[in-house]
Amino acid sequence: MTASMILVLNSGSSSLKFSIFNSADQTEPVSGLAENLGQPDARLTVRSADGKTSRELPGADHQVALEALVAALSERGFSPEHWLAAGHRVVHGAESFSASVRVTEDIVQRIDDISHLAPLHNPANLEGIRALSRLLPDLPQVAVFDTAFHQTIPAAAYTYALPYHLYEDHGIRRYGFHGTSHRYVSSEAVRLLQLEPDHHRVITAHLGNGCSACAVKNGQSLDTTMGMTPLEGLVMGTRSGDVDPSIHLFLHERTGMNLAEITGLLNRESGLLGISGLSNDMRTLLAAAEDGHARAELAIEVFCYRLARGISSLLVATGGLDALVFTGGIGENAAGVRERTVYHLGWLGLNLDVTANLNHGRYQQGIISTTQEPAVLVIPTREEWMIAQDTQALVANAR
Ligand code: ADP
């Protein structure tokens, strides 16, 4: 029997998202999620052509959830003997990883060594790797890093204007995130527009719950809006993006909030939710703005203005623009956000095709501008598929 399936795992602190990709025919026959891990209401949901099933796993940790997952997949005919390898999403690769790698004990140690840079994410990602190693020790595993694509960003773009020893001693610099998504949609834009692989300038805007834009020149990331953490840059669902760093001290002195509380406010109570006072969900805000909700309208306008400003600033890195790409839940679905953002960028020669903008989305990728040079596109992201591709390539190379 030929093993052609690739398990893709995205292991969070209390969740385990998974997909099975079939490398033989490039399909994704099964996917799902174990959630609320460690809680009494932990559960496992599996989706396939046969439908969706859900099972309670009270108190399950990552290991128990993974065992239940393997059993559920086996029942559907996707048992581990069909698996070629597993690919893991790992959030932070710091300066240690500029590409995806085969997981070894040394790699696990190196990911652990940089966990202080992403204390909420890397330990959870490692939990998934270790649980799978215990369960299926012979299955090849690959780590795919959110930061890796951005390791080509030059020092002028990644260096904070802080005392330099903070970079040397503590690794304080800009790293960037959503690298797998920016890599995929920029390469798709190059393919769709038939741009020269070694001569193109693309700006990608990944707009989901987290949002970042990226400057891609000749296949390489040269700058991005997120920084040392995913808090920097654009306005997001509940994250502030860029604010004056003095706000920390001001808030502390005026309200008595401590550092952890202020950090929580910037991460979980700000962004679209903070401005609107209504929701972090762009769908809700677009509907409310239609109904005359003034702060929903303001939240959307701040979001789009800051996005356009972020995109403009990235043009310094590319030195021009062949294509602007929208992706992520908002980028793929919110035609109104694309319209407002492109309107702010009219001075660049971008002109939206209103009908194409309305007709493109998650299920229809392509050009939404009347202009081809530069072009504006919607390209649904496929991060899990990219993880599967990297995994397959690394495992094949090792054979
Ligand atoms: P994540 O970053 O967690 O992967 P997604 O990329 O799925 O999230 O994006 C989630 C966001 O996409 C939601 O918060 C919502 O604001 C937005 N979104 C999803 N569907 C629509 C839609 N039809 N119209 C507008 N916004 C949408």
Side-chain angles (χ1 to χ4, degrees):
M1 181 189 316
T2 330
S4 63
M5 307 279 176
I6 291 170
L7 173 72
V8 173
L9 277 185
N10 183 350
S11 177
S13 55
S14 64
S15 68
L16 199 57
K17 275 194 207 156
F18 65 91
S19 300
I20 288 272
F21 285 85
N22 188 342
S23 62
D25 61 8
Q26 300 293 315
T27 55
E28 184 189 349
V30 202
S31 63
L33 170 74
E35 57 195 324
N36 303 332
L37 298 179
Q39 306 290 324
D41 57 348
R43 60 193 303 110
L44 172 69
T45 305
V46 182
R47 281 184 299 270
S48 68
D50 302 337
K52 183 172 123 174
T53 57
S54 213
R55 216 189 112 186
E56 293 187 2
L57 297 172
D61 60 7
H62 287 75
Q63 189 76 45
V64 172
L66 199 62
E67 284 165 20
L69 166 63
V70 170
L73 290 174
S74 300
E75 280 167 23
R76 285 173 166 72
F78 301 103
S79 56
E81 75 250 33
H82 299 290
W83 301 358
L84 182 65
H88 297 266
R89 175 180 180 216
V90 179
V91 167
H92 218 307
E95 291 181 345
S96 304
F97 299 101
S98 55
S100 305
V101 287
R102 276 285 289 264
V103 173
T104 60
E105 273 179 35
D106 175 53
I107 294 291
V108 168
Q109 185 59 52
R110 284 167 61 193
I111 296 172
D112 207 14
D113 289 344
I114 50 179
S115 280
H116 61 285
L117 289 169
L120 296 179
H121 293 104
N122 274 28
N125 303 150
L126 277 176
E127 194 58 48
I129 292 176
R130 289 188 172 121
L132 192 60
S133 305
R134 282 191 287 267
L135 196 60
L136 299 167
D138 296 328
L139 185 72
Q141 299 190 55
V142 165
V144 179
F145 301 89
D146 270 21
T147 51
F149 182 56
H150 300 301
Q151 278 298 296
T152 44
I153 292 178
Y158 73 64
T159 305
Y160 287 119
L162 294 169
Y164 196 72
H165 68 85
L166 295 178
Y167 165 54
E168 295 175 309
D169 297 343
H170 301 289
I172 297 180
R173 54 157 279 183
R174 305 181 63 249
Y175 292 99
F177 298 87
H178 293 144
T180 311
S181 177
H182 291 301
R183 177 161 61 107
Y184 171 72
V185 297
S186 59
S187 67
E188 269 298 286
V190 170
R191 191 182 67 79
L192 286 170
L193 297 172
Q194 299 184 327
L195 300 174
E196 297 281 336
D198 297 328
H199 193 73
H200 60 255
R201 301 152 308 174
V202 178
I203 305 283
T204 50
H206 177 105
L207 312 173
N209 283 310
C211 300
S212 71
C214 178
V216 182
K217 189 173 184 182
N218 308 338
Q220 293 194 328
S221 169
L222 292 190
D223 203 350
T224 188
T225 54
M226 281 180 170
M228 173 164 154
T229 74
L231 183 56
E232 186 178 335
L234 306 177
V235 176
M236 311 181 210
T238 62
R239 286 177 234 159
S240 62
D242 292 340
V243 291
D244 185 333
S246 301
I247 288 175
H248 272 88
L249 181 65
F250 185 86
L251 264 179
H252 169 66
E253 288 182 347
R254 295 286 293 187
T255 69
M257 292 173 79
N258 64 30
L259 270 181
E261 288 165 340
I262 296 167
T263 306
L265 175 134
L266 294 173
N267 275 287
R268 293 188 295 276
E269 297 169 37
S270 300
L272 293 171
L273 173 66
I275 300 171
S276 69
L278 183 66
S279 173
N280 62 320
D281 193 313
M282 190 56 90
R283 279 167 292 206
T284 309
L285 297 182
L286 287 166
E290 280 277 305
D291 291 344
H293 193 294
R295 275 180 33 211
E297 170 62 28
L298 179 64
I300 298 166
E301 199 42 39
V302 174
F303 182 93
C304 296
Y305 174 76
R306 287 267 299 276
L307 172 58
R309 205 180 70 167
I311 291 166
S312 307
S313 69
L314 291 173
L315 292 169
V316 175
T318 54
L321 185 67
D322 297 315
L324 168 63
V325 185
F326 287 96
T327 194
I330 296 174
E332 292 162 26
N333 297 299
V337 168
R338 298 194 296 254
E339 186 177 338
R340 289 177 192 231
T341 307
V342 172
Y343 172 77
H344 286 304
L345 296 168
W347 59 273
L348 270 172
L350 298 180
N351 193 16
L352 208 65
D353 179 331
V354 177
T355 311
N357 185 40
L358 288 175
N359 290 340
H360 283 76
R362 178 150 286 176
Y363 301 104
Q364 174 70 33
Q365 69 175 22
I367 300 174
I368 58 166
S369 54
T370 56
T371 45
Q372 287 262 359
E373 294 170 5
V376 184
L377 298 95
V378 177
I379 301 180
T381 195
R382 296 186 73 189
E383 288 165 290
E384 285 82 10
W385 185 79
M386 278 300 267
I387 294 173
Q389 294 290 303
D390 281 10
T391 303
Q392 187 184 355
L394 278 168
V395 171
N397 283 346
R399 287 192 162 189

